[in-house]
Amino acid sequence: MIWDDFLNSMWRDWRGSGRSEDRLESPEWIGQWLSEHRLTAPHLPSPQEMVELKKLRDLLLRIVQAFAAGSQPDPEDLGELNRVMADGPVVRQIVQTDQRYRLDCVPTLLGWTQIGAEIAASFAHTLADKDPARMRICSNPDCLWVYYDDTRNRSKRYCDDKLCGNLMKVRRFRARKKAGD
Ligand SMILES: [Zn+2]
C-alpha cells in the first residue's frame, strides 16, 4: 500500500544499534517508492513540500498509533486527512480492458500536493474498506515498523516473526536468565 510504505520511510535499525534514517530525504528511495506505486512526480520535493510530506507522515502515524492502541483517532486528525485529500482532486473515468470495465479515479494535478492527497486517499481506503483495528506498530521498541495485520486471529505482534519476533524472544530469555542469576 502507498501509505504504509510511506510511513516506513522513517527507518530504524530493529537490531537496536540506535541507527535510524529518514528515507524520505533519499532521492533513490523516493524514486523507487513512486514507481512501485505508479505515482508520477515532476521533480523531487522542494523544502516546503518536504515539510508538508513530513507533516502528513506525522498525521498518519498519530492515527495509526490510536488504532494500534485499541482506541479511535482524534476527529481533528480525520478533518486534517480530509483537507489533504481535498487539495488533490480526481476525476472519475471508466476504463475498458478486454471485456471488463474499471472505474478509475484519475488525479487532476501533477505535483507533490496531489501525491500527498494520493497517500491520504490510500490511507482513507484502508480506514473505510478494511479493518483499521488491524493497523499495527511492531512491538520491538527499536523497530516500530508500521504494518497491517492480515493474520486470521489478529495476533501479529511483530513486523517479522523471524527477525523482530526472534530478537525479542532472545531478549526476554536473557532478561529472565539475568533475573534468575
Ligand atoms: Zn519489527
Side-chain angles (χ1 to χ4, degrees):
M1 290 176 284
I2 299 176
W3 69 266
D4 57 347
D5 285 349
F6 174 69
L7 280 181
N8 287 325
S9 59
M10 191 63 229
W11 177 86
R12 295 174 187 83
D13 184 4
W14 58 276
R15 288 155 297 203
S17 70
R19 278 195 309 127
S20 66
E21 192 182 298
D22 191 346
R23 292 180 167 165
L24 214 46
E25 308 270 5
S26 151
E28 289 84 4
W29 188 91
I30 292 227
Q32 207 180 339
W33 171 73
L34 288 173
S35 79
E36 254 168 48
H37 297 289
R38 288 190 221 141
L39 295 167
T40 322
H43 49 73
L44 285 169
S46 70
Q48 184 53 39
E49 285 161 344
M50 186 58 88
V51 169
E52 293 299 323
L53 282 171
K54 288 183 180 177
K55 256 169 50 186
L56 175 60
R57 190 172 59 181
D58 290 344
L59 169 72
L60 299 186
L61 187 60
R62 271 201 307 280
I63 301 177
V64 170
Q65 282 165 342
F67 284 122
S71 148
Q72 300 281 317
D74 188 329
E76 269 183 40
D77 283 344
L78 293 182
E80 183 61 18
L81 187 67
N82 278 334
R83 199 195 57 73
V84 174
M85 285 192 289
D87 283 343
V90 292
V91 289
R92 285 181 289 274
Q93 238 166 46
I94 195 80
V95 180
Q96 186 180 10
T97 49
D98 299 323
Q99 296 306 312
R100 300 181 64 98
Y101 298 92
R102 192 180 71 228
L103 183 60
D104 273 1
C105 287
V106 184
T108 55
L109 305 172
L110 185 65
W112 284 97
T113 304
Q114 183 79 46
I115 291 173
E118 298 302 315
I119 300 167
S122 129
F123 186 78
H125 178 71
T126 298
L127 237 60
D129 297 337
K130 296 176 106 180
D131 181 2
R134 286 175 177 268
M135 289 178 177
R136 303 267 185 277
I137 295 170
C138 180
S139 294
N140 173 3
D142 291 318
C143 175
L144 304 180
W145 191 262
V146 171
Y147 59 95
Y148 184 84
D149 179 3
D150 47 18
T151 60
R152 215 155 61 96
N153 55 2
R154 308 163 161 258
S155 59
K156 195 167 153 67
R157 289 187 58 208
Y158 302 103
C159 63
D160 188 314
D161 284 336
K162 287 196 185 68
L163 302 174
C164 281
N166 268 340
L167 182 82
M168 295 302 281
K169 208 188 285 175
V170 169
R171 277 191 197 161
R172 281 196 301 274
F173 176 75
R174 285 197 187 133
R176 266 202 309 272
K177 218 176 145 210
K178 208 171 164 196
D181 280 346

